[in-house]
Amino acid sequence: MNLSYAHLLPADFHPSSRVWIYQSNRMFGMMEALELEKMLDQFVAGWQAHGDQVKGFATLFFGQFIILMADETQTGVSGCSTDSSVRLIKAIEQQFNVNLFDRQLMAFVVKDKVQLLPLAQLNHAIENNFINGDTLYFNNLVQTKQDLENNWIIPVKDSWLKGRIPTLAT
């Protein structure tokens, strides 16, 4: 699995650009992904904050992660413009019958594939060596373009999960 993605991010966006990551509970099919990309492009083309165009970017990575980004050096994102992005994500959920707001579902790279794991099953996965400190984890809590580039896909041992693995907790 090719995990290279930073080169796909817009180079002309400031490193402090705000980022929102929505992880789907399943991979989008090819036709769904094409339709989804059109929806994201249309949203970004019309994304506004108090009547001003938001310098935005939206894409689907790894068939499962919707990335929204706003370069606030041009126009700040307001409550209304954030609400419009949430409405888009909810519409995507409805149209494609997916869940994009389940923060209890974690994503890892296991056997060269994105694998989802409910938080409730984390201890079982650790005990059975499904994941370990070197397993790559999608840290969907990143908030800026710079963090997305450097801290999105990280080893478990470098994430908040390290305290959950006894051999790493010391």
Side-chain angles (χ1 to χ4, degrees):
M1 175 177 196
N2 181 358
L3 295 175
S4 177
Y5 64 90
H7 68 284
L8 301 171
L9 298 173
D12 63 333
F13 276 53
H14 194 272
S16 68
S17 296
R18 284 181 62 187
V19 168
W20 297 266
I21 300 176
Y22 297 93
Q23 172 185 295
S24 175
N25 63 323
R26 67 167 176 83
M27 185 176 273
F28 289 92
M30 183 60 73
M31 296 308 291
E32 290 176 320
L34 293 171
E35 193 172 341
L36 175 61
E37 287 284 354
K38 282 184 198 171
M39 291 174 72
L40 295 173
D41 290 344
Q42 288 173 350
F43 172 76
V44 168
W47 198 6
Q48 293 192 343
H50 301 293
D52 293 325
Q53 180 69 30
V54 171
K55 183 178 178 183
F57 170 79
T59 194
L60 178 67
F61 278 144
F62 308 114
Q64 204 153 353
F65 301 89
I66 296 173
I67 309 292
L68 293 180
M69 186 183 309
D71 186 340
E72 293 187 297
T73 60
Q74 309 291 316
T75 302
V77 175
S78 64
C80 293
S81 51
T82 301
D83 289 348
S84 68
S85 69
V86 172
R87 281 193 299 278
L88 167 72
I89 298 301
K90 288 183 177 185
I92 291 169
E93 279 189 322
Q94 289 285 86
Q95 182 167 339
F96 298 104
N97 194 26
V98 295
N99 186 336
L100 295 165
F101 289 99
D102 186 353
R103 301 294 184 208
Q104 298 292 305
L105 196 58
M106 299 174 302
F108 300 89
V109 177
V110 177
K111 295 183 181 173
D112 220 25
K113 290 176 57 178
V114 175
Q115 298 286 332
L116 301 177
L117 179 70
L119 182 60
Q121 294 179 10
L122 181 63
N123 288 340
H124 177 77
I126 293 167
E127 291 166 5
N128 291 286
N129 295 317
F130 178 69
I131 62 171
N132 60 48
D134 294 320
T135 303
L136 294 177
Y137 168 66
F138 287 86
N139 176 23
N140 294 329
L141 301 176
V142 297
Q143 296 182 10
T144 66
K145 179 186 178 206
Q146 185 172 9
D147 276 346
L148 178 64
E149 291 170 334
N150 301 309
N151 299 310
W152 181 35
I153 304 173
I154 57 175
V156 168
K157 65 185 173 196
D158 296 334
S159 77
W160 67 272
L161 292 170
K162 72 179 176 187
R164 304 288 299 261
I165 300 178
T167 57
L168 298 176
T170 56

